[in-house]
Amino acid sequence: MGLAFDHTTLAQRVLFGSGQAVENTATVIGDHGAARVLLIHDDFASDLGDDIAAQIPVAARIRGVVQHVPADRAAAAVDEAIGANCDAIVSIGGGSATGLAKIVALRTGIPIIAVPTTFAGSEATNVWGITEHERKQTGIDARVLPVAVVYDALLSTGLPGGLAIASGLNAVAHAVDGFWAPKADPINQALGTEGLRALVPGLRRLHDDAGDLEARELTLYGAYLAAVAFASAGSGLHHKICHVLGGRYNLSHAETHAVVLPYVTAFNAPEAPDAAARISAVFDGAPAPEALFSFGQHVGAPRSLADLGLREQDIPEAADLVLPSVPPSNPRSVDLPALEELLRSAWAGDPVGKGQS
Ligand code: NAD
């Protein structure tokens, strides 16, 4: 068959510059003519919140966010935005801050300007998520795509080392899972490939020297590309698994991605030669699953789902919950025993390597 695809590029302004978060946020707010901003920031970003608040018209401020966007927090934020008659949202923080802003945008239509502080990439997607009764619900809506993103590599400096690496591996997962996701196409695959070409050396260098600003910029840039690829390609098997693990068992988002990716890659790679080749190329030709596993261990990723707090007896239920959401287009067919085996390996932290498929 010839080359044929249906690709949508999401429109978003991106300002990238180290040390320029305050100035660039003020520029975007000025350009939008926003007069009543809802400022949402994570607890750790109080000082940055103050600096930005000094430059923009803040009408309401939410300090502190909770991972996976609990429904009650989201409802309170929506009330705050409506009560203060806000016309723009500025979110400062990782995916949890962006995620809260997204629910406000979803319910009110107020545009978001995102100032990310991790490599999670939520700011580049039109995907929202909310957690209620231990289940994470996600959806896609144009209103939740931030109209502008202000990237400043210095903002991630405060991330504890392990979390910075895990967050970077979450970005790697966006690129990799995008290669076989339901709407994978040559454009998002190119973006994902380029994302990996920035992320892998960036994270290696960050692991060696957390003060390497150029490496941090490279990682952030790669994380953005990977997130754009993911936003376009959709969630593949890897994301479906991680959403269940995060929503049902409250496992930490970035670390869960860091642990699970090599196992999903080992499962899919035999039936996804093009994806395997793209990954392999970034690791000097090493086989994709073991390259990702060794890379994760080298840069200090957590080893197993057991280390993250999943109990072995939860595995059958987790497999049950994942199965209905597995994309039919996954390169390899997935059944319950296969999912359980994959989860069991990730739970135990089995080495991923030669001979495994
Ligand atoms: P996070 O925002 O929950 O942050 C993790 C921890 O690091 C928190 O304790 C936070 O306070 C702290 N932190 C964040 N940045 C920091 C910094 N620069 N310095 C010091 N501490 C900092 O983690 P995350 O991985 O960025 O986001 C996870 C959430 O985002 C999950 O809910 C996930 O589902 C969602 N997410 C959504 C999408 C999407 O497209 N919708 C994409 C990726 C992630």
PDB file of all heavy atoms in Angstrom, residues 42 44 67-69 93-97 102 117-122 125 127-129 136 155-160 163 167 170 174 230 243 253-254, ligand 1:
ATOM      1  N   ASP A  42       1.946  24.444  42.078  1.00  0.00           N
ATOM      2  CA  ASP A  42       2.329  23.417  43.028  1.00  0.00           C
ATOM      3  C   ASP A  42       2.959  24.109  44.239  1.00  0.00           C
ATOM      4  O   ASP A  42       3.490  25.223  44.121  1.00  0.00           O
ATOM      5  CB  ASP A  42       3.339  22.492  42.339  1.00  0.00           C
ATOM      6  CG  ASP A  42       3.432  21.138  43.004  1.00  0.00           C
ATOM      7  OD1 ASP A  42       3.420  21.104  44.252  1.00  0.00           O
ATOM      8  OD2 ASP A  42       3.538  20.132  42.298  1.00  0.00           O
ATOM      9  N   PHE A  44       5.692  23.612  45.796  1.00  0.00           N
ATOM     10  CA  PHE A  44       7.127  23.913  45.720  1.00  0.00           C
ATOM     11  C   PHE A  44       7.388  25.187  44.913  1.00  0.00           C
ATOM     12  O   PHE A  44       8.457  25.770  45.013  1.00  0.00           O
ATOM     13  CB  PHE A  44       7.901  22.730  45.085  1.00  0.00           C
ATOM     14  CG  PHE A  44       7.785  22.717  43.596  1.00  0.00           C
ATOM     15  CD1 PHE A  44       8.682  23.439  42.818  1.00  0.00           C
ATOM     16  CD2 PHE A  44       6.763  22.033  42.966  1.00  0.00           C
ATOM     17  CE1 PHE A  44       8.549  23.476  41.447  1.00  0.00           C
ATOM     18  CE2 PHE A  44       6.630  22.064  41.607  1.00  0.00           C
ATOM     19  CZ  PHE A  44       7.522  22.785  40.843  1.00  0.00           C
ATOM     20  N   GLN A  67      -1.560  14.775  43.012  1.00  0.00           N
ATOM     21  CA  GLN A  67      -1.334  13.964  41.817  1.00  0.00           C
ATOM     22  C   GLN A  67      -2.612  13.244  41.366  1.00  0.00           C
ATOM     23  O   GLN A  67      -3.444  12.872  42.191  1.00  0.00           O
ATOM     24  CB  GLN A  67      -0.221  12.945  42.075  1.00  0.00           C
ATOM     25  CG  GLN A  67       0.348  12.379  40.783  1.00  0.00           C
ATOM     26  CD  GLN A  67       1.676  11.653  40.971  1.00  0.00           C
ATOM     27  OE1 GLN A  67       1.764  10.713  41.719  1.00  0.00           O
ATOM     28  NE2 GLN A  67       2.701  12.111  40.273  1.00  0.00           N
ATOM     29  N   HIS A  68      -2.723  13.070  40.040  1.00  0.00           N
ATOM     30  CA  HIS A  68      -3.826  12.350  39.392  1.00  0.00           C
ATOM     31  C   HIS A  68      -5.173  13.086  39.485  1.00  0.00           C
ATOM     32  O   HIS A  68      -6.224  12.511  39.247  1.00  0.00           O
ATOM     33  CB  HIS A  68      -3.972  10.921  39.930  1.00  0.00           C
ATOM     34  CG  HIS A  68      -2.729  10.088  39.745  1.00  0.00           C
ATOM     35  ND1 HIS A  68      -2.082   9.998  38.534  1.00  0.00           N
ATOM     36  CD2 HIS A  68      -2.004   9.339  40.610  1.00  0.00           C
ATOM     37  CE1 HIS A  68      -1.019   9.214  38.673  1.00  0.00           C
ATOM     38  NE2 HIS A  68      -0.941   8.809  39.916  1.00  0.00           N
ATOM     39  N   VAL A  69      -5.154  14.373  39.849  1.00  0.00           N
ATOM     40  CA  VAL A  69      -6.348  15.238  39.819  1.00  0.00           C
ATOM     41  C   VAL A  69      -7.592  14.607  40.469  1.00  0.00           C
ATOM     42  O   VAL A  69      -8.531  14.166  39.791  1.00  0.00           O
ATOM     43  CB  VAL A  69      -6.689  15.670  38.360  1.00  0.00           C
ATOM     44  CG1 VAL A  69      -7.706  16.808  38.355  1.00  0.00           C
ATOM     45  CG2 VAL A  69      -5.451  16.087  37.598  1.00  0.00           C
ATOM     46  N   GLY A  93       3.867  24.021  37.405  1.00  0.00           N
ATOM     47  CA  GLY A  93       4.122  22.752  38.063  1.00  0.00           C
ATOM     48  C   GLY A  93       4.221  21.634  37.041  1.00  0.00           C
ATOM     49  O   GLY A  93       4.290  21.892  35.829  1.00  0.00           O
ATOM     50  N   GLY A  94       4.209  20.408  37.533  1.00  0.00           N
ATOM     51  CA  GLY A  94       4.282  19.259  36.638  1.00  0.00           C
ATOM     52  C   GLY A  94       2.912  18.906  36.091  1.00  0.00           C
ATOM     53  O   GLY A  94       1.985  19.734  36.082  1.00  0.00           O
ATOM     54  N   GLY A  95       2.792  17.659  35.682  1.00  0.00           N
ATOM     55  CA  GLY A  95       1.529  17.206  35.094  1.00  0.00           C
ATOM     56  C   GLY A  95       0.354  17.353  36.034  1.00  0.00           C
ATOM     57  O   GLY A  95      -0.787  17.469  35.577  1.00  0.00           O
ATOM     58  N   SER A  96       0.599  17.348  37.341  1.00  0.00           N
ATOM     59  CA  SER A  96      -0.520  17.462  38.282  1.00  0.00           C
ATOM     60  C   SER A  96      -1.109  18.873  38.277  1.00  0.00           C
ATOM     61  O   SER A  96      -2.337  19.036  38.354  1.00  0.00           O
ATOM     62  CB  SER A  96      -0.066  17.087  39.695  1.00  0.00           C
ATOM     63  OG  SER A  96       0.332  15.743  39.705  1.00  0.00           O
ATOM     64  N   ALA A  97      -0.243  19.884  38.184  1.00  0.00           N
ATOM     65  CA  ALA A  97      -0.740  21.269  38.120  1.00  0.00           C
ATOM     66  C   ALA A  97      -1.429  21.505  36.776  1.00  0.00           C
ATOM     67  O   ALA A  97      -2.537  22.053  36.710  1.00  0.00           O
ATOM     68  CB  ALA A  97       0.417  22.247  38.315  1.00  0.00           C
ATOM     69  N   LYS A 102      -6.406  21.745  33.426  1.00  0.00           N
ATOM     70  CA  LYS A 102      -7.140  21.183  32.290  1.00  0.00           C
ATOM     71  C   LYS A 102      -8.612  20.913  32.636  1.00  0.00           C
ATOM     72  O   LYS A 102      -9.498  21.121  31.805  1.00  0.00           O
ATOM     73  CB  LYS A 102      -6.475  19.890  31.813  1.00  0.00           C
ATOM     74  CG  LYS A 102      -5.222  20.156  30.970  1.00  0.00           C
ATOM     75  CD  LYS A 102      -4.572  18.847  30.535  1.00  0.00           C
ATOM     76  CE  LYS A 102      -3.588  19.087  29.394  1.00  0.00           C
ATOM     77  NZ  LYS A 102      -3.000  17.824  28.898  1.00  0.00           N
ATOM     78  N   THR A 117       7.203  22.243  34.973  1.00  0.00           N
ATOM     79  CA  THR A 117       8.417  22.119  35.788  1.00  0.00           C
ATOM     80  C   THR A 117       8.943  20.683  35.812  1.00  0.00           C
ATOM     81  O   THR A 117       9.843  20.364  36.569  1.00  0.00           O
ATOM     82  CB  THR A 117       8.125  22.560  37.237  1.00  0.00           C
ATOM     83  OG1 THR A 117       7.130  21.673  37.786  1.00  0.00           O
ATOM     84  CG2 THR A 117       7.625  23.986  37.301  1.00  0.00           C
ATOM     85  N   THR A 118       8.309  19.794  35.042  1.00  0.00           N
ATOM     86  CA  THR A 118       8.802  18.418  34.912  1.00  0.00           C
ATOM     87  C   THR A 118       8.887  18.115  33.411  1.00  0.00           C
ATOM     88  O   THR A 118       8.653  18.991  32.576  1.00  0.00           O
ATOM     89  CB  THR A 118       7.849  17.398  35.580  1.00  0.00           C
ATOM     90  OG1 THR A 118       6.629  17.336  34.833  1.00  0.00           O
ATOM     91  CG2 THR A 118       7.542  17.754  37.020  1.00  0.00           C
ATOM     92  N   PHE A 119       9.178  16.868  33.084  1.00  0.00           N
ATOM     93  CA  PHE A 119       9.263  16.475  31.679  1.00  0.00           C
ATOM     94  C   PHE A 119       8.028  15.680  31.251  1.00  0.00           C
ATOM     95  O   PHE A 119       8.055  14.958  30.264  1.00  0.00           O
ATOM     96  CB  PHE A 119      10.535  15.641  31.451  1.00  0.00           C
ATOM     97  CG  PHE A 119      11.788  16.331  31.906  1.00  0.00           C
ATOM     98  CD1 PHE A 119      12.604  15.774  32.888  1.00  0.00           C
ATOM     99  CD2 PHE A 119      12.160  17.555  31.357  1.00  0.00           C
ATOM    100  CE1 PHE A 119      13.756  16.424  33.320  1.00  0.00           C
ATOM    101  CE2 PHE A 119      13.302  18.219  31.787  1.00  0.00           C
ATOM    102  CZ  PHE A 119      14.112  17.651  32.772  1.00  0.00           C
ATOM    103  N   ALA A 120       6.937  15.792  32.036  1.00  0.00           N
ATOM    104  CA  ALA A 120       5.765  14.934  31.820  1.00  0.00           C
ATOM    105  C   ALA A 120       5.048  15.211  30.502  1.00  0.00           C
ATOM    106  O   ALA A 120       4.443  14.318  29.925  1.00  0.00           O
ATOM    107  CB  ALA A 120       4.779  15.084  32.973  1.00  0.00           C
ATOM    108  N   GLY A 121       5.093  16.451  30.039  1.00  0.00           N
ATOM    109  CA  GLY A 121       4.564  16.741  28.704  1.00  0.00           C
ATOM    110  C   GLY A 121       3.071  16.956  28.604  1.00  0.00           C
ATOM    111  O   GLY A 121       2.543  17.164  27.504  1.00  0.00           O
ATOM    112  N   SER A 122       2.359  16.973  29.716  1.00  0.00           N
ATOM    113  CA  SER A 122       0.909  17.155  29.661  1.00  0.00           C
ATOM    114  C   SER A 122       0.540  18.461  28.948  1.00  0.00           C
ATOM    115  O   SER A 122      -0.497  18.545  28.284  1.00  0.00           O
ATOM    116  CB  SER A 122       0.356  17.149  31.090  1.00  0.00           C
ATOM    117  OG  SER A 122      -0.998  17.482  31.101  1.00  0.00           O
ATOM    118  N   THR A 125      -0.486  18.305  25.250  1.00  0.00           N
ATOM    119  CA  THR A 125      -1.542  17.388  24.804  1.00  0.00           C
ATOM    120  C   THR A 125      -2.944  17.947  25.066  1.00  0.00           C
ATOM    121  O   THR A 125      -3.128  18.804  25.930  1.00  0.00           O
ATOM    122  CB  THR A 125      -1.451  16.006  25.507  1.00  0.00           C
ATOM    123  OG1 THR A 125      -2.096  16.078  26.789  1.00  0.00           O
ATOM    124  CG2 THR A 125      -0.018  15.538  25.687  1.00  0.00           C
ATOM    125  N   VAL A 127      -5.205  15.950  26.176  1.00  0.00           N
ATOM    126  CA  VAL A 127      -5.728  14.851  26.992  1.00  0.00           C
ATOM    127  C   VAL A 127      -5.928  15.337  28.428  1.00  0.00           C
ATOM    128  O   VAL A 127      -5.019  15.945  29.000  1.00  0.00           O
ATOM    129  CB  VAL A 127      -4.726  13.674  27.019  1.00  0.00           C
ATOM    130  CG1 VAL A 127      -5.282  12.521  27.866  1.00  0.00           C
ATOM    131  CG2 VAL A 127      -4.418  13.200  25.612  1.00  0.00           C
ATOM    132  N   TRP A 128      -7.112  15.087  28.978  1.00  0.00           N
ATOM    133  CA  TRP A 128      -7.348  15.422  30.391  1.00  0.00           C
ATOM    134  C   TRP A 128      -7.529  14.135  31.176  1.00  0.00           C
ATOM    135  O   TRP A 128      -7.795  13.071  30.612  1.00  0.00           O
ATOM    136  CB  TRP A 128      -8.563  16.330  30.549  1.00  0.00           C
ATOM    137  CG  TRP A 128      -9.823  15.811  29.927  1.00  0.00           C
ATOM    138  CD1 TRP A 128     -10.303  16.099  28.671  1.00  0.00           C
ATOM    139  CD2 TRP A 128     -10.769  14.884  30.510  1.00  0.00           C
ATOM    140  NE1 TRP A 128     -11.473  15.409  28.446  1.00  0.00           N
ATOM    141  CE2 TRP A 128     -11.787  14.661  29.546  1.00  0.00           C
ATOM    142  CE3 TRP A 128     -10.854  14.245  31.740  1.00  0.00           C
ATOM    143  CZ2 TRP A 128     -12.876  13.816  29.782  1.00  0.00           C
ATOM    144  CZ3 TRP A 128     -11.933  13.394  31.986  1.00  0.00           C
ATOM    145  CH2 TRP A 128     -12.924  13.187  31.010  1.00  0.00           C
ATOM    146  N   GLY A 129      -7.354  14.239  32.485  1.00  0.00           N
ATOM    147  CA  GLY A 129      -7.544  13.071  33.341  1.00  0.00           C
ATOM    148  C   GLY A 129      -8.079  13.512  34.693  1.00  0.00           C
ATOM    149  O   GLY A 129      -7.769  14.611  35.173  1.00  0.00           O
ATOM    150  N   LYS A 136      -9.122   6.249  37.282  1.00  0.00           N
ATOM    151  CA  LYS A 136      -8.733   7.424  36.526  1.00  0.00           C
ATOM    152  C   LYS A 136      -9.476   7.425  35.198  1.00  0.00           C
ATOM    153  O   LYS A 136      -9.406   6.469  34.440  1.00  0.00           O
ATOM    154  CB  LYS A 136      -7.229   7.387  36.277  1.00  0.00           C
ATOM    155  CG  LYS A 136      -6.728   8.636  35.635  1.00  0.00           C
ATOM    156  CD  LYS A 136      -5.242   8.765  35.819  1.00  0.00           C
ATOM    157  CE  LYS A 136      -4.788  10.121  35.336  1.00  0.00           C
ATOM    158  NZ  LYS A 136      -3.388  10.326  35.594  1.00  0.00           N
ATOM    159  N   LEU A 155      13.557  25.575  35.655  1.00  0.00           N
ATOM    160  CA  LEU A 155      12.476  25.282  36.603  1.00  0.00           C
ATOM    161  C   LEU A 155      12.485  23.832  37.086  1.00  0.00           C
ATOM    162  O   LEU A 155      11.943  23.528  38.142  1.00  0.00           O
ATOM    163  CB  LEU A 155      11.101  25.600  35.985  1.00  0.00           C
ATOM    164  CG  LEU A 155      10.887  27.034  35.529  1.00  0.00           C
ATOM    165  CD1 LEU A 155       9.442  27.232  35.087  1.00  0.00           C
ATOM    166  CD2 LEU A 155      11.248  28.019  36.624  1.00  0.00           C
ATOM    167  N   SER A 156      13.085  22.941  36.314  1.00  0.00           N
ATOM    168  CA  SER A 156      13.099  21.536  36.748  1.00  0.00           C
ATOM    169  C   SER A 156      14.296  21.230  37.647  1.00  0.00           C
ATOM    170  O   SER A 156      14.433  20.109  38.128  1.00  0.00           O
ATOM    171  CB  SER A 156      13.108  20.599  35.536  1.00  0.00           C
ATOM    172  OG  SER A 156      14.325  20.707  34.835  1.00  0.00           O
ATOM    173  N   THR A 157      15.138  22.229  37.896  1.00  0.00           N
ATOM    174  CA  THR A 157      16.355  21.983  38.681  1.00  0.00           C
ATOM    175  C   THR A 157      16.040  21.464  40.078  1.00  0.00           C
ATOM    176  O   THR A 157      16.790  20.657  40.622  1.00  0.00           O
ATOM    177  CB  THR A 157      17.179  23.291  38.797  1.00  0.00           C
ATOM    178  OG1 THR A 157      17.236  23.884  37.513  1.00  0.00           O
ATOM    179  CG2 THR A 157      18.592  23.012  39.265  1.00  0.00           C
ATOM    180  N   GLY A 158      14.925  21.923  40.648  1.00  0.00           N
ATOM    181  CA  GLY A 158      14.597  21.520  42.018  1.00  0.00           C
ATOM    182  C   GLY A 158      14.023  20.114  42.132  1.00  0.00           C
ATOM    183  O   GLY A 158      13.858  19.592  43.232  1.00  0.00           O
ATOM    184  N   LEU A 159      13.698  19.504  40.996  1.00  0.00           N
ATOM    185  CA  LEU A 159      13.149  18.137  41.042  1.00  0.00           C
ATOM    186  C   LEU A 159      14.188  17.218  41.660  1.00  0.00           C
ATOM    187  O   LEU A 159      15.337  17.199  41.203  1.00  0.00           O
ATOM    188  CB  LEU A 159      12.886  17.634  39.618  1.00  0.00           C
ATOM    189  CG  LEU A 159      11.510  17.747  39.019  1.00  0.00           C
ATOM    190  CD1 LEU A 159      11.537  17.214  37.590  1.00  0.00           C
ATOM    191  CD2 LEU A 159      10.492  16.977  39.827  1.00  0.00           C
ATOM    192  N   PRO A 160      13.800  16.442  42.665  1.00  0.00           N
ATOM    193  CA  PRO A 160      14.769  15.498  43.215  1.00  0.00           C
ATOM    194  C   PRO A 160      15.297  14.603  42.090  1.00  0.00           C
ATOM    195  O   PRO A 160      14.542  14.254  41.179  1.00  0.00           O
ATOM    196  CB  PRO A 160      13.928  14.679  44.207  1.00  0.00           C
ATOM    197  CG  PRO A 160      12.701  15.495  44.469  1.00  0.00           C
ATOM    198  CD  PRO A 160      12.493  16.385  43.284  1.00  0.00           C
ATOM    199  N   LEU A 163      13.368  11.715  40.628  1.00  0.00           N
ATOM    200  CA  LEU A 163      12.115  12.113  39.985  1.00  0.00           C
ATOM    201  C   LEU A 163      12.378  12.762  38.625  1.00  0.00           C
ATOM    202  O   LEU A 163      11.618  12.580  37.668  1.00  0.00           O
ATOM    203  CB  LEU A 163      11.359  13.072  40.905  1.00  0.00           C
ATOM    204  CG  LEU A 163       9.859  13.156  40.701  1.00  0.00           C
ATOM    205  CD1 LEU A 163       9.230  11.771  40.679  1.00  0.00           C
ATOM    206  CD2 LEU A 163       9.221  13.998  41.791  1.00  0.00           C
ATOM    207  N   SER A 167      10.804  11.280  35.371  1.00  0.00           N
ATOM    208  CA  SER A 167       9.983  12.149  34.552  1.00  0.00           C
ATOM    209  C   SER A 167      10.497  12.151  33.109  1.00  0.00           C
ATOM    210  O   SER A 167       9.720  12.110  32.143  1.00  0.00           O
ATOM    211  CB  SER A 167      10.009  13.563  35.148  1.00  0.00           C
ATOM    212  OG  SER A 167       9.144  14.403  34.457  1.00  0.00           O
ATOM    213  N   ASN A 170       9.370   9.072  31.525  1.00  0.00           N
ATOM    214  CA  ASN A 170       7.960   9.231  31.162  1.00  0.00           C
ATOM    215  C   ASN A 170       7.880   9.844  29.757  1.00  0.00           C
ATOM    216  O   ASN A 170       7.081   9.427  28.911  1.00  0.00           O
ATOM    217  CB  ASN A 170       7.288  10.121  32.209  1.00  0.00           C
ATOM    218  CG  ASN A 170       5.795  10.358  31.998  1.00  0.00           C
ATOM    219  OD1 ASN A 170       5.226  11.234  32.618  1.00  0.00           O
ATOM    220  ND2 ASN A 170       5.155   9.599  31.149  1.00  0.00           N
ATOM    221  N   HIS A 174       6.416   8.452  26.082  1.00  0.00           N
ATOM    222  CA  HIS A 174       5.520   9.107  25.121  1.00  0.00           C
ATOM    223  C   HIS A 174       5.982   8.825  23.697  1.00  0.00           C
ATOM    224  O   HIS A 174       5.182   8.521  22.815  1.00  0.00           O
ATOM    225  CB  HIS A 174       5.496  10.623  25.350  1.00  0.00           C
ATOM    226  CG  HIS A 174       4.733  11.016  26.566  1.00  0.00           C
ATOM    227  ND1 HIS A 174       5.086  12.079  27.348  1.00  0.00           N
ATOM    228  CD2 HIS A 174       3.639  10.486  27.139  1.00  0.00           C
ATOM    229  CE1 HIS A 174       4.233  12.182  28.356  1.00  0.00           C
ATOM    230  NE2 HIS A 174       3.352  11.222  28.249  1.00  0.00           N
ATOM    231  N   PHE A 230       2.946  12.015  21.150  1.00  0.00           N
ATOM    232  CA  PHE A 230       1.957  11.248  21.924  1.00  0.00           C
ATOM    233  C   PHE A 230       0.558  11.840  21.753  1.00  0.00           C
ATOM    234  O   PHE A 230      -0.431  11.117  21.566  1.00  0.00           O
ATOM    235  CB  PHE A 230       2.395  11.252  23.391  1.00  0.00           C
ATOM    236  CG  PHE A 230       1.344  10.822  24.376  1.00  0.00           C
ATOM    237  CD1 PHE A 230       0.885   9.510  24.399  1.00  0.00           C
ATOM    238  CD2 PHE A 230       0.818  11.721  25.291  1.00  0.00           C
ATOM    239  CE1 PHE A 230      -0.085   9.109  25.316  1.00  0.00           C
ATOM    240  CE2 PHE A 230      -0.142  11.329  26.208  1.00  0.00           C
ATOM    241  CZ  PHE A 230      -0.592  10.021  26.215  1.00  0.00           C
ATOM    242  N   HIS A 243      -2.082   3.932  33.206  1.00  0.00           N
ATOM    243  CA  HIS A 243      -3.258   4.632  33.733  1.00  0.00           C
ATOM    244  C   HIS A 243      -3.970   3.794  34.790  1.00  0.00           C
ATOM    245  O   HIS A 243      -4.415   4.316  35.810  1.00  0.00           O
ATOM    246  CB  HIS A 243      -4.223   4.992  32.599  1.00  0.00           C
ATOM    247  CG  HIS A 243      -3.786   6.227  31.872  1.00  0.00           C
ATOM    248  ND1 HIS A 243      -4.247   6.566  30.631  1.00  0.00           N
ATOM    249  CD2 HIS A 243      -2.911   7.188  32.220  1.00  0.00           C
ATOM    250  CE1 HIS A 243      -3.676   7.694  30.240  1.00  0.00           C
ATOM    251  NE2 HIS A 243      -2.858   8.099  31.192  1.00  0.00           N
ATOM    252  N   HIS A 253       3.169   8.435  39.061  1.00  0.00           N
ATOM    253  CA  HIS A 253       3.027   8.434  37.603  1.00  0.00           C
ATOM    254  C   HIS A 253       4.351   8.191  36.867  1.00  0.00           C
ATOM    255  O   HIS A 253       4.483   7.242  36.089  1.00  0.00           O
ATOM    256  CB  HIS A 253       2.421   9.773  37.171  1.00  0.00           C
ATOM    257  CG  HIS A 253       2.285   9.934  35.708  1.00  0.00           C
ATOM    258  ND1 HIS A 253       1.229   9.432  34.993  1.00  0.00           N
ATOM    259  CD2 HIS A 253       3.100  10.516  34.791  1.00  0.00           C
ATOM    260  CE1 HIS A 253       1.379   9.706  33.711  1.00  0.00           C
ATOM    261  NE2 HIS A 253       2.508  10.370  33.572  1.00  0.00           N
ATOM    262  N   ALA A 254       5.316   9.079  37.100  1.00  0.00           N
ATOM    263  CA  ALA A 254       6.547   9.024  36.302  1.00  0.00           C
ATOM    264  C   ALA A 254       7.302   7.715  36.540  1.00  0.00           C
ATOM    265  O   ALA A 254       7.786   7.069  35.604  1.00  0.00           O
ATOM    266  CB  ALA A 254       7.432  10.230  36.646  1.00  0.00           C
TER     267      ALA A 254
HETATM  268  P1  NAD B   1       3.729  15.887  39.371  1.00  0.00           P
HETATM  269  O1  NAD B   1       3.271  17.121  38.733  1.00  0.00           O
HETATM  270  O2  NAD B   1       2.734  15.126  40.183  1.00  0.00           O
HETATM  271  O3  NAD B   1       5.011  16.196  40.253  1.00  0.00           O
HETATM  272  C1  NAD B   1       5.638  15.131  40.948  1.00  0.00           C
HETATM  273  C2  NAD B   1       6.206  15.641  42.289  1.00  0.00           C
HETATM  274  O4  NAD B   1       7.281  16.527  42.013  1.00  0.00           O
HETATM  275  C3  NAD B   1       5.201  16.423  43.093  1.00  0.00           C
HETATM  276  O5  NAD B   1       5.442  16.136  44.442  1.00  0.00           O
HETATM  277  C4  NAD B   1       5.560  17.865  42.777  1.00  0.00           C
HETATM  278  O6  NAD B   1       5.231  18.701  43.855  1.00  0.00           O
HETATM  279  C5  NAD B   1       7.044  17.796  42.581  1.00  0.00           C
HETATM  280  N1  NAD B   1       7.641  18.724  41.612  1.00  0.00           N
HETATM  281  C6  NAD B   1       7.258  18.938  40.341  1.00  0.00           C
HETATM  282  N2  NAD B   1       8.112  19.763  39.715  1.00  0.00           N
HETATM  283  C7  NAD B   1       9.069  20.063  40.637  1.00  0.00           C
HETATM  284  C8  NAD B   1      10.255  20.872  40.596  1.00  0.00           C
HETATM  285  N3  NAD B   1      10.628  21.486  39.468  1.00  0.00           N
HETATM  286  N4  NAD B   1      10.973  20.985  41.712  1.00  0.00           N
HETATM  287  C9  NAD B   1      10.619  20.330  42.843  1.00  0.00           C
HETATM  288  N5  NAD B   1       9.536  19.531  42.941  1.00  0.00           N
HETATM  289  C10 NAD B   1       8.761  19.413  41.852  1.00  0.00           C
HETATM  290  O7  NAD B   1       4.359  14.840  38.337  1.00  0.00           O
HETATM  291  P2  NAD B   1       4.349  14.713  36.756  1.00  0.00           P
HETATM  292  O8  NAD B   1       4.993  13.419  36.483  1.00  0.00           O
HETATM  293  O9  NAD B   1       4.854  15.928  36.100  1.00  0.00           O
HETATM  294  O10 NAD B   1       2.805  14.638  36.405  1.00  0.00           O
HETATM  295  C11 NAD B   1       2.042  13.510  36.717  1.00  0.00           C
HETATM  296  C12 NAD B   1       0.583  13.753  36.423  1.00  0.00           C
HETATM  297  O11 NAD B   1       0.416  14.316  35.120  1.00  0.00           O
HETATM  298  C13 NAD B   1      -0.231  12.483  36.439  1.00  0.00           C
HETATM  299  O12 NAD B   1      -1.499  12.732  36.988  1.00  0.00           O
HETATM  300  C14 NAD B   1      -0.348  12.140  34.963  1.00  0.00           C
HETATM  301  O13 NAD B   1      -1.444  11.321  34.679  1.00  0.00           O
HETATM  302  C15 NAD B   1      -0.444  13.493  34.343  1.00  0.00           C
HETATM  303  N6  NAD B   1       0.025  13.532  32.944  1.00  0.00           N
HETATM  304  C16 NAD B   1      -0.908  13.832  31.989  1.00  0.00           C
HETATM  305  C17 NAD B   1      -0.538  13.894  30.676  1.00  0.00           C
HETATM  306  C18 NAD B   1      -1.552  14.272  29.664  1.00  0.00           C
HETATM  307  O14 NAD B   1      -1.260  14.327  28.493  1.00  0.00           O
HETATM  308  N7  NAD B   1      -2.749  14.599  30.070  1.00  0.00           N
HETATM  309  C19 NAD B   1       0.785  13.650  30.281  1.00  0.00           C
HETATM  310  C20 NAD B   1       1.718  13.342  31.287  1.00  0.00           C
HETATM  311  C21 NAD B   1       1.318  13.308  32.618  1.00  0.00           C
END
